[in-house]
Amino acid sequence: MLAPRKRLLPVAVIVTLVIFLALNHREYNHIYQQLSSSININAAAVPDGAPANRTLGFGAVLVVSKEGSDRRHALLQAANVTDIDLTIPKQPVWTEGDVTSFKNGVEKSVQRGSILAWLGHRNALQWFLDSGLETALILEDDVDWDIRLRSVQIPLAASAARSMLPPPKSYLPSFNSDANRTQYWGDPKAWDLLYLGHCGDYFNEVTYEGLKDSVKGFNISDLPHVMYNDPSLPVKSDLHPFTQSLFEAINVPAHTRIFHRSKFPLCTFGYAVTRAAAERLLDDLAPAKLRPNGPKAFDVAILHACNKGSGTPSPTPKNNPKPHPDPKLRYKYASPGIRCWTLNSELFHHMPGHSQIAKIDEDQGRTVGIPPVDFAGQTQIEVRNETTNIGCGFWGGAFAFDNEDTARLKFLQEEVGRKGKCLKEGKDSL
């Protein structure tokens, strides 16, 4: 069992193997070396039980994080222990002019923190498009994940995605054909956005009292989905109360996740996008200016985009019943919105505590309430001492290490990150 380490002062320290390097490029901070194999993966090269690569099967894992964020250090330490490559696109210093331009004269009362978060996500999306990569996973910098993310959870989730989003079959043999290649997360032409980190997709709005009654009568068979066993998922009684209610309503067995078409996803803790989706979000679905009667937060803009795309099948047949409204763009974009899928329960969740948006608004004298999902999970977090819906995470500092302590880092990488041993009091094995 490891004794918890005192939380270190936030410093942007990057650990690559046993060498500590501070990388500060002109355009972005690049954490680790990206692997070219994260783009196209041959089916035969994805054996059952093999861990995901260091970018979790995507072209890159990007982090939305402003310069000097006090949350970055803990994130980098978790990435080191689990051997995950992170890229942190450098954000501009947003000015009052940027905020005013974004408001577009539409809404004076919109939260300043929400605007800055929206701009940060757009910055990451633009970096992704400029990179030329095919897919990217975008994380917020306050997320937590399980120590078995790369070794167990991602391989299982990606297998479920491939089962629902396989590449189209071709009977013309060709070395470079899609028939001879399998994308780790399924055919990127078949999906636009994957919700891997969220604060719930409960099929409808939630209140402080819980899920709406309409969810209780929902038939999961009406929704494209696949269920699969994941031994790393906490027991039902340790899941968030709203997640428990949802899983009971739709009869989800213990230690089981669902990969399904999105219904009402909340929050953008961790989401994967294709190039087409990133273009749509930047150009017209989540633009850099508020619109009359439009969403006032980036995650709500994504929700609206998913709702617009819910009528478009994924994968999308040639006789698409709900195509893009502009015939000239249908060769490029399949849907009026974006085709979204949710992993339920999530793999990434924000660590307990105030969000960056709340902190910014509190600094301006605004009273910030606790969202219903966070409010409902408060007591459970205190009892479990773990982040919501995560079995053995990094919140609390049990797997922290001093910057110069390479021996401890190597030990954590092997015993915790690779072998999946939860070396916490009362959790020496899972």
Side-chain angles (χ1 to χ4, degrees), residues 7 21 55 65 92 149 158 203 271 279 281 296 309 327 343 353 394:
R7 180 162 295 192
L21 298 175
T55 52
S65 180
L149 176 71
F203 299 179
Y271 59 98
E279 288 178 0
L281 291 172
K296 302 300 187 291
L343 186 62
F394 291 87

Side-chain angles (χ1 to χ4, degrees), residues 146 148-149 152-154 156-157 160 196 198 225-234 239 243 247 252-260 342-348 389-391:
D146 194 282
R148 296 154 293 180
L149 176 71
V152 175
Q153 295 178 340
I154 290 292
L156 289 174
L196 303 184
H198 49 83
H225 75 281
V226 61
M227 294 189 187
Y228 66 93
N229 180 261
D230 183 345
S232 70
L233 185 68
L239 294 175
T243 306
F247 281 14
V252 178
H255 299 294
T256 299
R257 296 188 197 269
I258 325 170
F259 182 70
H260 62 81
T342 297
L343 186 62
N344 226 336
S345 175
E346 69 277 14
L347 300 181
F348 303 94
N389 287 345
I390 291 176

Side-chain angles (χ1 to χ4, degrees), residues 78-403:
N80 272 281
V81 173
T82 45
D83 286 321
I84 297 172
D85 293 2
L86 301 178
T87 301
I88 304 180
K90 187 175 179 62
Q91 290 189 23
V93 178
W94 309 113
T95 66
E96 285 301 319
D98 294 323
V99 174
T100 300
S101 175
F102 192 94
K103 287 183 177 180
N104 198 27
V106 172
E107 179 60 62
K108 294 182 179 179
S109 63
V110 66
Q111 292 179 319
R112 175 183 172 84
S114 292
I115 293 175
L116 296 179
W118 195 322
L119 291 170
H121 279 274
R122 285 182 55 84
N123 181 68
L125 289 167
Q126 188 61 60
W127 185 98
F128 163 52
L129 287 182
D130 293 343
S131 74
L133 296 169
E134 192 172 28
T135 60
L137 174 64
I138 299 177
L139 304 177
E140 296 179 351
D141 69 356
D142 64 342
V143 295
D144 195 4
W145 60 76
D146 194 282
I147 60 173
R148 296 154 293 180
L149 176 71
R150 184 182 167 196
S151 60
V152 175
Q153 295 178 340
I154 290 292
L156 289 174
S159 178
R162 292 194 300 271
S163 74
M164 298 300 294
L165 304 165
K169 292 183 179 180
S170 173
Y171 299 99
L172 297 176
S174 171
F175 179 77
N176 292 318
S177 71
D178 284 342
N180 292 319
R181 296 188 303 169
T182 295
Q183 296 288 335
Y184 193 71
W185 287 92
D187 181 9
K189 296 178 182 178
W191 59 271
D192 294 309
L193 187 145
L194 308 178
Y195 274 100
L196 303 184
H198 49 83
C199 54
D201 186 338
Y202 301 116
F203 299 179
N204 206 331
E205 295 179 76
V206 296
T207 68
Y208 285 97
E209 286 71 42
L211 276 61
K212 289 195 172 183
D213 290 339
S214 59
V215 175
K216 297 177 181 178
F218 186 81
N219 188 345
I220 189 63
S221 63
D222 295 335
L223 194 67
H225 75 281
V226 61
M227 294 189 187
Y228 66 93
N229 180 261
D230 183 345
S232 70
L233 185 68
V235 296
K236 278 191 176 181
S237 59
D238 282 348
L239 294 175
H240 187 282
F242 292 176
T243 306
Q244 292 183 45
S245 297
L246 174 67
F247 281 14
E248 288 172 3
I250 58 178
N251 298 315
V252 178
H255 299 294
T256 299
R257 296 188 197 269
I258 325 170
F259 182 70
H260 62 81
R261 280 301 297 268
S262 300
K263 287 289 290 182
F264 207 93
L266 305 172
C267 308
T268 49
F269 301 148
Y271 59 98
V273 287
T274 62
R275 297 187 63 79
E279 288 178 0
R280 293 293 310 282
L281 291 172
L282 289 173
D283 292 344
D284 67 295
L285 295 175
K289 291 185 183 294
L290 293 177
R291 294 171 173 171
N293 302 316
K296 302 300 187 291
F298 179 76
D299 62 333
V300 179
I302 297 282
L303 169 62
H304 288 186
C306 292
N307 288 342
K308 286 182 180 179
S310 61
T312 304
S314 175
T316 307
K318 289 184 178 180
N319 56 338
N320 184 357
K322 193 73 173 178
H324 190 282
D326 187 346
K328 295 180 180 179
L329 294 177
R330 288 176 184 171
Y331 77 98
K332 193 176 185 181
Y333 306 130
S335 172
I338 54 178
R339 298 161 298 171
C340 303
W341 289 77
T342 297
L343 186 62
N344 226 336
S345 175
E346 69 277 14
L347 300 181
F348 303 94
H349 200 99
H350 76 82
M351 291 189 179
H354 277 313
S355 69
Q356 195 68 39
I357 294 174
K359 289 180 180 178
I360 291 172
D361 292 323
E362 285 176 348
D363 290 343
Q364 292 194 320
R366 293 174 180 262
T367 300
V368 180
I370 301 175
V373 176
D374 289 350
F375 182 80
Q378 280 184 316
T379 301
Q380 187 187 66
I381 289 172
E382 293 174 2
V383 172
R384 293 184 62 235
N385 198 30
E386 292 284 0
T387 301
T388 293
N389 287 345
I390 291 176
C392 183
F394 291 87
W395 176 62
F399 307 128
F401 53 90
D402 294 335
N403 296 337

Side-chain angles (χ1 to χ4, degrees), residues 12-16 21-36 38 54-55 59-63 67 72 76 84-90 127 131 133:
V13 177
I14 302 159
V15 186
T16 305
L21 298 175
L23 303 180
N24 188 3
H25 293 295
R26 194 168 44 178
E27 297 181 355
Y28 59 90
N29 290 333
H30 193 174
I31 314 304
Y32 304 104
Q33 182 67 38
Q34 291 184 21
L35 305 181
S36 60
S38 64
R54 294 170 67 101
T55 52
V61 181
L62 307 181
V63 181
E67 196 69 31
R72 190 180 292 189
L76 295 180
I84 297 172
D85 293 2
L86 301 178
T87 301
I88 304 180
K90 187 175 179 62
W127 185 98
S131 74
L133 296 169

